[in-house]
């Protein structure tokens, strides 16, 4: 499958003789380099607070809310062909080309990643994305793994789903810069809490004290709830950095009331899945990337309860865009850096879940968090 035009050996192989420090923006910086007796700088969001704060990441999205459609697709284009990993925890996954990302296989790097609606029919979106890469980048056999959510019929027809042309257009639209959130892309038809609240696309990033950037993008379509049943606050917002969620309040007691159709009641049990991408500016070997994706699953568990159920196909891809010697699970000297990056990926993904809920807009009969709990969002700084 990976026998195609010769590819440069990217992240983890280039510069194998380089020193063990991370290479960030052309400057060497080990996890402890440059630290003095002065206080360590607190982590802060990147300039965009988005996955695109990670160099080498571009995001494109297409969607339709016109009846009978309520669906879309989100793609990530990675021109540098970085290494990638994946971790699948949900009991009902819908994925393709994930085996090639396993550490035991010949992992040549990826040309892009696809997150899409349409359930298994969303496979067409990946094919369309591949055709764009063939037509415009000259890639003879693009490596474009992907995952799907179930949103069939939410716009009115099970046949109103993304096609290959959507993947082609999404890849064409992929760019760096701000990323639209909420009821867009693959999150257009997403729901949470067994269908009780509108889900969507969310993103966030963090710059660590050594300069490493970690970003996340998530499509929240969970059987579980993102809302704390005790006070109706968003679970993921508790991990906000600085004034990231400035103005967000606890909903009033009058608004914070039980809703019908909770996960525990088994409503709409088979129509879910949360899928995500986490990325870092560090360089990593494939096994370390696989561990990063696994660590990021904790971010879903903190922001969505319950997570990883039999009715979810929770899948997280990981990407490392840095160059130089890749951080390795086998090197004890890399353990600290890998732990910090994995922890940051989990926290950033939790924050991205909260952003997805806050940016989602009501559509048809599906109400957003802010429309359900208006007092919580009345002073929210967007």
């Amino acid at each position: 499958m990976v026998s195609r035009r010769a590819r440069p050996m990217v992240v983890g192989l280039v510069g194998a003789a380089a020193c063990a420090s991370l290479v960030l923006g052309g400057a060497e910086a080990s996890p402890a380099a440059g630290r003095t007796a002065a206080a360590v700088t607190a982590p802060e969001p990147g300039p965009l607070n988005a996955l695109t704060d990670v160099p080498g990441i571009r995001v494109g999205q297409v969607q339709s809310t016109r009846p009978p459609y309520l669906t879309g697709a989100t793609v990530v284009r990675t021109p540098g062909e970085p290494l990638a990993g994946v971790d699948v925890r949900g009991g009902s996954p819908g994925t393709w080309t994930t085996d090639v990302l396993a550490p035991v296989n010949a992992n040549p790097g990826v040309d892009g990643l696809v997150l899409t609606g349409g359930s298994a029919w969303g496979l067409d979106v990946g094919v369309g994305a591949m055709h764009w890469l063939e037509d415009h980048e000259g890639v003879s056999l693009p490596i474009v793994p992907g995952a799907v959510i179930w949103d069939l019929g939410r716009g009115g027809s099970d046949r109103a789903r993304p096609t290959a042309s959507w993947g082609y257009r999404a890849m064409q639209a992929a760019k760096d810069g701000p990323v639209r959130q909420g009821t867009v892309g693959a999150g257009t038809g997403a729901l949470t809490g067994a269908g009780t609240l509108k889900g969507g696309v969310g993103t966030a990033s963090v710059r660590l004290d050594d300069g490493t950037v970690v970003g996340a993008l998530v499509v929240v379509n969970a059987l579980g709830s993102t809302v704390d049943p005790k006070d109706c606050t968003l679970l993921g917002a508790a991990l906000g950095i600085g004034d990231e969620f400035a103005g967000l309040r606890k909903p009033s007691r009058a608004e914070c009331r039980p809703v019908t159709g909770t996960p525990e009641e088994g409503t709409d049990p088979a129509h879910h899945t949360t899928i995500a991408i986490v990325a870092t500016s560090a360089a990593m070997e494939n096994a370390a990337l696989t561990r990063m994706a696994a660590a990021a699953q904790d971010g879903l568990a903190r922001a969505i309860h319950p997570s990883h159920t039999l009715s979810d196909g929770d899948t997280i891809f990981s990407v490392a865009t840095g160059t130089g010697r890749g951080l390795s699970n086998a090197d004890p000297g890399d353990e600290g850096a890998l732990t910090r990056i994995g922890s940051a990926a989990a926290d950033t993904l939790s924050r991205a879940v909260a952003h997805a809920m806050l940016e989602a807009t009501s559509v048809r009969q599906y109400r957003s968090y802010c429309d359900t709990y208006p007092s919580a969002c009345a002073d929210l700084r967007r």
Side-chain angles (χ1 to χ4, degrees), residues 108-179:
V110 295
D111 297 290
L113 295 164
V114 169
L115 308 178
T116 182
S119 190
W121 295 104
L123 292 167
D124 279 351
V125 175
V127 173
M130 291 174 65
H131 277 298
W132 187 92
L133 289 162
E134 180 184 41
D135 291 346
H136 296 273
E137 298 295 324
V139 184
S140 61
L141 185 57
I143 304 299
V144 187
V148 303
I149 67 166
W150 180 297
D151 58 4
L152 295 177
R154 291 177 179 170
S157 170
D158 284 354
R159 295 194 172 217
R161 57 207 180 217
T163 63
S165 68
W166 296 41
Y168 198 98
R169 290 188 290 120
M171 195 62 78
Q172 177 72 45
K175 63 184 188 312
D176 53 14
V179 176

Side-chain angles (χ1 to χ4, degrees), residues 214 284 291-292 295-296 337-347:
V214 177
M284 284 191 184
R291 173 54 57 183
M292 176 186 176
L338 290 173
T339 299
R340 283 189 292 275
I341 292 171
S343 178
D347 289 350

Side-chain angles (χ1 to χ4, degrees), residues 284-366:
M284 284 191 184
E285 292 185 353
N286 181 241
L289 269 169
T290 303
R291 173 54 57 183
M292 176 186 176
Q297 292 278 9
D298 290 343
L300 293 188
R302 293 169 190 154
I304 303 169
H305 180 78
S307 293
H308 313 138
T309 74
L310 285 174
S311 296
D312 291 290
D314 298 339
T315 299
I316 297 177
F317 295 99
S318 56
V319 181
T321 65
T323 59
R325 189 193 72 84
L327 296 171
S328 170
N329 289 350
D331 189 336
D334 291 341
E335 183 176 347
L338 290 173
T339 299
R340 283 189 292 275
I341 292 171
S343 178
D347 289 350
T348 305
L349 187 53
S350 292
R351 293 161 48 218
V353 170
H355 284 297
M357 299 303 296
L358 293 172
E359 296 295 334
T361 53
S362 298
V363 58
R364 312 268 205 312
Q365 70 270 34
Y366 308 118

Side-chain angles (χ1 to χ4, degrees), residues 30-45:
S30 69
R35 293 186 181 180
T36 65
V40 175
T41 303
E44 58 184 17

Side-chain angles (χ1 to χ4, degrees), residues 41-207:
T41 303
E44 58 184 17
L48 301 171
N49 200 15
L51 183 70
T52 47
D53 282 319
V54 178
I57 297 291
R58 302 177 185 180
V59 175
Q61 305 189 90
V62 296
Q63 63 280 320
S64 178
T65 59
R66 184 175 182 178
Y69 286 90
L70 188 62
T71 188
T74 299
V75 306
V76 168
R77 184 153 68 94
T78 52
E81 299 174 350
L83 291 182
V86 67
D87 185 85
V88 180
R89 297 285 176 93
S92 299
T95 61
W96 65 88
T97 322
T98 52
D99 284 354
V100 74
L101 304 183
V104 297
N105 292 331
N107 187 332
V110 295
D111 297 290
L113 295 164
V114 169
L115 308 178
T116 182
S119 190
W121 295 104
L123 292 167
D124 279 351
V125 175
V127 173
M130 291 174 65
H131 277 298
W132 187 92
L133 289 162
E134 180 184 41
D135 291 346
H136 296 273
E137 298 295 324
V139 184
S140 61
L141 185 57
I143 304 299
V144 187
V148 303
I149 67 166
W150 180 297
D151 58 4
L152 295 177
R154 291 177 179 170
S157 170
D158 284 354
R159 295 194 172 217
R161 57 207 180 217
T163 63
S165 68
W166 296 41
Y168 198 98
R169 290 188 290 120
M171 195 62 78
Q172 177 72 45
K175 63 184 188 312
D176 53 14
V179 176
R180 288 186 64 195
Q181 301 181 76
T183 308
V184 297
T188 301
L191 303 176
T192 67
T196 59
L197 281 180
K198 187 72 186 68
V201 169
T203 190
S205 69
V206 63
R207 184 178 179 87

